[in-house]
Amino acid sequence: MQTPYIPIFSFYCSLPSLFSQSGKKSELYELKKMAARVEAATMGGGEIDEESDERGSMWDLDQKLDQSMDEEAGRLRNMYKEKKFSALLLLQLSFQSLGVVYGDLGTSPLYVFYNTFPHGIKDPEDIIGALSLIIYSLTLIPLLKYVFVVCKANDNGQGGTFALYSLLCRHAKVKTIKNQHRTDEELTTYSRSTFHEHSFAAKTKRWLEDRTSRKTALLVLVLVGTCMVIGDGILTPAISVLSAAGGLRVNLPHISNGVVVLVAVVILVSLFSVQHYGTDRVGWLFAPIVFLWFLSIASIGMYNIWKHDTTVLKAFSPVYIYRYFKRGGIDRWTSLGGIMLSITGIEALFADLSHFPVSAVQIAFTAIVFPCLLLAYSGQAAYIRNHPHHVADAFYRSIPGSVYWPMFIIATAAAIVASQATISATFSLIKQALAHGCFPRVKVVHTSRKFLGQIYVPDINWILMILCIAVTAGFKNQSQIGNAYGTAVVIVMLVTTLLMTLIMILVWRCHWVLVLVFTVLSLVVECTYFSAMLFKVDQGGWVPLVIAAAFLLIMSVWHYGTLKRYEFEMHSRVSMAWILGLGPSLGLVRVPGVGLVYTELASGVPHIFSHFITNLPAIHSVVVFVCVKNLPVYTVPEEERFLVKRIGPKNFHMFRCVARYGYGDLHKKDDDFEKRLFESLFLFIRLESMMEGGCSDSDDYSICGSQNHFKEKNENVATFDTFDSIESITPVKRVSHTVTASSQMSGGVDELEFINRCRDAGVVHIMGNTVVRARRQARFYKKIAIDYVYAFLRKICREHSVIFNVPQESLLNVGQIFYV
């Protein structure tokens, strides 16, 4: 029988209100009777009919035990809602968001016009048409779609493709690894909306859940978008730094292109080499640099419009877009690939959203970024109208001579900031993919104690540096890198549109007409750009496709192996009846010590445990099955991280502990995990004893001083939220109906002393070392994927023992092989 869950943390919070008025015995007696009925239902195997009169008693019990949790849960939930900021603070955050969010988008004027007209300008009117396309591209995609629509689809402030996927996983059962439990939905950060059974959202949900192939297709779509953003992390530093360094040739024409490339490579090596320091120390410089950059390009833009050609302002009329394409020619269609570079950086904008509230990002774009970019592009267009032969270096050529070198320094600094924003976004996405079981376990270092999102992934950092240098030195010009960059960005845009369609249906529950309008308009614009980029695949556009294909192969094979390992554990788990049938000694010698058995299962006995006890004649006196779960939420509050449950009778001394993490949480590489695990276990035993004492069938209970005793014993103890069943807080067998509360408490204290003695005797971490092999009759591509690719990734990735800092002398690996 599936038994209900009791929130232990809420019981802990309600203890003062329950025990402070000792004269109200009727209230405690009522609690006692209802708990006894729950126990009777549990022990007798009967079920409590929710529609019967007993439902009222169960509801009353739940309300009394949970009465203090409402305030605490509300306080926790408020931490993850968008807070209300004062006007002054909102302006300050808007200013700070410039350096983190808009660096990439802001440096696009360095290379847009050159990539739009790589073969020169044939008709001066084409400049007005191109400018008109840039204006409306900035209006439709970054302003309307991303800043005011997509940014609203954040997951507790987190952006990116995996954040959208996490939202979908909470509103529909689309996760390929089915390790979620209904208790996970009780988390304060597990926000989700409900909809009517016959609504369009419910039909879409059932359609997604109906077939595994649709769930897999959704995951592949997310992985494709993620791989393209990783490609951006390689191409953005390359094109930004190379374009900024290209300004040397304008004032120093004797410098060769090789020298410019060498300068760009030196800057890139320096940029990637200091990543391990993090952005916390120099992050305060980013916003002033980018703000100065926007003011500079806007001022130069106004100067060029006034000096060269004020008629470029007619480009704000969309009729010039029509005239641009009416003149015909394949060059005008393929020029969309260069124009699309004006909106690059939107993927980093969404991925870096976690650092600031959405309202601050919106204010920064509408008040500073958008108007400054329009002035910058209009000024360049005005200059090119008078100097069409300068289109290759339009940005630097349009700078007045007196401010040329200061602008060169500002442009180089802005390019570095833009590269840093994209690299940080790549690190964040890698960490999210790792938490979803879609990337090999790599080292993740948090570079800031203040900001959880500031991380550094050493392995990925050096891979990005090598590939970035290879792209910069290999192509040596902006045109081919721009083609590669545009291909990656347009694919990310298409993936975001498809995911947003599902978000609008399942999460926002929008009317299908509104969803259709958003999807059609977005796809029309983005597919137009995509068709133009297809003409440039052979001119550098193949680079992000190759990079994405390599990362997609790695992520797909790793996820497939992880999925098969989980399915193997699920199918080979041992029944609890078999364990209980062995008796308290489990048919073995129980030696002093605590055995922590790590498993991916949140229920049942893992196969490695049965494999262990059938091959060794002894097991530890205390056994704890430890399951570390990654949930589709950004973070799990510390108060709700650990769930503890007793397995079998008390004399078995067996427990289960589930540690739940979000994709933004850190698995701390120190002794904190083991320490908090035991604190949660001790708290569970104390609460278990107190609930048994308070809910006994005898009126002769004594709870005087129990509250003080609990507080004294419970200082600095990490609390937790729920455990799995009423079995774990009720005795398996009633020996007497006259057991007093004090005797129950002493039993709990005795068990605590026993576990402490076992802990002092030694803690052994028992981990499964599962080897996956392809069957002999498997197809050749599966053999290559499993026996070579997955085996190689398993060999080079970090072990679980390293992640949890398990000492080698306390580690015991249990090997097993299974075939797929």
Side-chain angles (χ1 to χ4, degrees), residues 562-574:
T562 303
L563 175 62
K564 291 302 177 183
R565 287 181 59 206
Y566 180 78
E567 291 178 349
F568 170 76
E569 284 211 31
M570 282 292 295
H571 296 153
S572 61
R573 61 181 178 178
V574 181

Side-chain angles (χ1 to χ4, degrees), residues 188-378:
T188 54
T189 52
Y190 201 100
S191 58
R192 56 181 299 182
S193 56
T194 57
F195 30 77
H196 193 270
E197 183 180 357
H198 301 290
S199 63
F200 181 64
K203 294 177 182 178
T204 306
K205 177 176 178 290
R206 287 193 294 268
W207 181 81
L208 277 175
E209 296 173 348
D210 189 42
R211 294 187 180 179
T212 305
S213 58
R214 292 167 187 164
K215 302 177 186 178
T216 305
L218 178 62
L219 179 61
V220 170
L221 182 68
V222 173
L223 294 182
V224 168
T226 303
C227 293
M228 287 300 171
V229 176
I230 295 174
D232 288 347
I234 298 169
L235 298 171
T236 298
I239 192 171
S240 298
V241 174
L242 185 61
S243 299
L248 290 171
R249 299 179 60 190
V250 176
N251 257 15
L252 302 173
H254 62 278
I255 293 180
S256 65
N257 187 58
V259 174
V260 173
V261 173
L262 180 61
V263 171
V265 169
V266 170
I267 294 175
L268 290 172
V269 171
S270 303
L271 174 64
F272 284 100
S273 298
V274 299
Q275 288 298 311
H276 65 281
Y277 292 111
T279 59
D280 195 23
R281 296 180 182 178
V282 296
W284 60 274
L285 280 173
F286 288 178
I289 289 173
V290 177
F291 180 67
L292 182 61
W293 164 258
F294 278 121
L295 287 184
S296 301
I297 62 175
S299 302
I300 293 173
M302 288 188 292
Y303 170 80
N304 286 324
I305 294 171
W306 172 76
K307 181 179 180 180
H308 296 287
D309 189 359
T310 58
T311 62
V312 295
L313 297 179
K314 62 185 180 182
F316 281 85
S317 172
V319 70
Y320 290 94
I321 297 177
Y322 170 74
R323 293 178 182 177
Y324 181 73
F325 289 113
K326 186 180 179 181
R327 285 190 288 272
I330 192 67
D331 289 342
R332 290 180 176 83
W333 187 261
T334 56
S335 68
L336 288 174
I339 290 169
M340 204 204 68
L341 295 179
S342 63
I343 58 177
T344 55
I346 52 177
E347 70 288 341
L349 179 155
F350 187 42
D352 287 327
L353 190 65
S354 60
H355 300 282
F356 304 96
V358 174
S359 54
V361 173
Q362 292 172 338
I363 291 173
F365 187 85
T366 54
I368 300 176
V369 179
F370 188 61
C372 288
L373 287 176
L374 294 183
L375 288 171
Y377 287 118
S378 299

Side-chain angles (χ1 to χ4, degrees), residues 459-682:
D459 300 330
I460 299 301
N461 179 69
W462 302 123
I463 291 174
L464 291 180
M465 187 190 75
I466 293 171
L467 293 177
C468 188
I469 293 174
V471 169
T472 305
F475 286 135
K476 299 181 181 180
N477 67 81
Q478 303 171 25
S479 179
Q480 289 182 315
I481 300 177
N483 295 336
Y485 193 16
T487 304
V489 172
V490 73
I491 293 177
V492 174
M493 288 164 50
L494 288 169
V495 169
T496 303
T497 297
L498 297 176
L499 292 176
M500 277 300 302
T501 302
L502 294 176
I503 292 292
M504 294 178 73
I505 296 173
L506 297 177
V507 182
W508 292 351
R509 294 172 293 169
C510 297
H511 195 277
W512 67 270
V513 174
L514 185 61
V515 177
L516 184 64
V517 170
F518 171 83
T519 305
V520 170
L521 289 178
S522 298
L523 289 178
V524 166
V525 175
E526 291 160 7
C527 288
T528 302
Y529 282 122
F530 182 71
S531 64
M533 296 308 304
L534 291 177
F535 291 96
K536 299 191 175 185
V537 171
D538 61 336
Q539 303 172 30
W542 56 270
V543 173
L545 300 179
V546 173
I547 294 173
F551 276 96
L552 182 62
L553 175 65
I554 292 173
M555 298 170 81
S556 300
V557 170
W558 182 263
H559 182 74
Y560 178 77
T562 303
L563 175 62
K564 291 302 177 183
R565 287 181 59 206
Y566 180 78
E567 291 178 349
F568 170 76
E569 284 211 31
M570 282 292 295
H571 296 153
S572 61
R573 61 181 178 178
V574 181
S575 66
M576 188 59 64
W578 180 74
I579 295 294
L580 297 179
L582 297 176
S585 66
L586 301 179
L588 306 167
V589 177
R590 300 295 292 266
V591 297
V594 178
L596 302 181
V597 183
Y598 289 81
T599 173
E600 296 184 17
L601 301 178
S603 61
V605 178
H607 181 262
I608 62 167
F609 183 71
S610 61
H611 184 63
F612 177 80
I613 64 176
T614 53
N615 286 274
L616 291 176
I619 192 63
H620 303 88
S621 299
V622 178
V623 176
V624 182
F625 297 103
V626 181
C627 171
V628 179
K629 291 175 61 176
N630 289 289
L631 303 181
V633 296
Y634 172 64
T635 184
V636 176
E638 292 286 340
E639 298 83 1
E640 302 174 271
R641 176 148 298 161
F642 288 92
L643 306 179
V644 179
K645 169 185 176 181
R646 184 185 295 278
I647 298 179
K650 282 189 175 182
N651 54 356
F652 276 59
H653 301 298
M654 295 175 65
F655 304 88
R656 184 186 310 283
C657 178
V658 179
R660 303 178 294 181
Y661 291 85
Y663 57 82
D665 289 327
L666 172 66
H667 297 255
K668 292 188 177 179
K669 188 180 181 296
D670 52 23
D671 297 330
D672 185 63
F673 179 81
E674 181 182 319
K675 175 185 175 183
R676 294 203 60 232
L677 188 151
F678 277 103
E679 287 176 346
S680 300
L681 179 61
F682 295 156

